[in-house]
Amino acid sequence: MSGPEDLVTAYAAAVDARDWVALADLFVEDGALITPDPPRSLEPVIASIGRDAIVATVRKVEGFAGTDHVVDSTHWQVDGSAASGLTIGQAHHHVDGPEPHSWVWYVEYRDDAVRTEAGWRFATRRLTLARIEKQPRP
């Protein structure tokens, strides 16, 4: 990965492909993913620390028929071997059945990343949800 912005697209691709090994590798060993607890909170309130805990949290998407992540924008500030970024996008969580639909999360990630010997890795991702919408699937 050439820059920290590449982490964002790699994260989306790993989750959509359910490639948990690739997902874990995007974080430093003691990295953190801080997620909301909808509907109680749309703010980041639940911390998963370490690669195994992060993967366990994200694997909850396996309860859906599939996911599609869309990155609308990502902006990073790099200071030597550290970077901070803001990513805005959508996470579509697909549900099959008699009424196929998607739960669309409008997401905002505030990220801290570090340059390691293996390249850029997330140190911390904080996920805030602007809103959640139920949309029909084609």
Side-chain angles (χ1 to χ4, degrees):
M1 283 179 251
S2 60
E5 63 279 353
D6 295 332
L7 288 170
V8 172
T9 53
Y11 179 94
V15 174
D16 290 344
R18 298 178 180 184
D19 184 342
W20 309 126
V21 173
L23 178 74
D25 189 50
L26 297 173
F27 287 84
V28 296
E29 195 66 40
D30 61 348
L33 175 65
I34 308 168
T35 55
D37 185 20
R40 184 181 69 81
S41 174
L42 300 181
E43 299 294 320
V45 294
I46 300 172
S48 301
I49 309 296
R51 290 176 173 167
D52 290 343
I54 291 166
V55 168
T57 294
V58 179
R59 282 186 81 136
K60 293 176 184 174
V61 302
E62 290 178 324
F64 294 96
T67 57
D68 286 307
H69 286 74
V70 177
V71 176
D72 293 326
S73 65
T74 188
H75 304 282
W76 287 83
Q77 294 179 338
V78 177
D79 184 8
S81 61
S84 59
L86 171 65
T87 298
I88 305 295
Q90 303 164 35
H92 298 251
H93 301 79
H94 307 305
V95 178
D96 287 338
E99 289 185 45
H101 62 277
S102 295
W103 291 105
V104 180
W105 292 14
Y106 292 87
V107 300
E108 175 184 294
Y109 284 98
R110 294 196 178 271
D111 298 317
D112 295 310
V114 294
R115 189 187 331 251
T116 71
E117 289 181 7
W120 287 98
R121 296 296 183 263
F122 288 117
T124 306
R125 293 207 91 190
R126 292 172 192 84
L127 170 59
T128 299
L129 300 177
R131 68 183 185 279
I132 301 172
E133 290 180 358
K134 183 178 178 181
Q135 296 181 358
R137 281 181 62 193

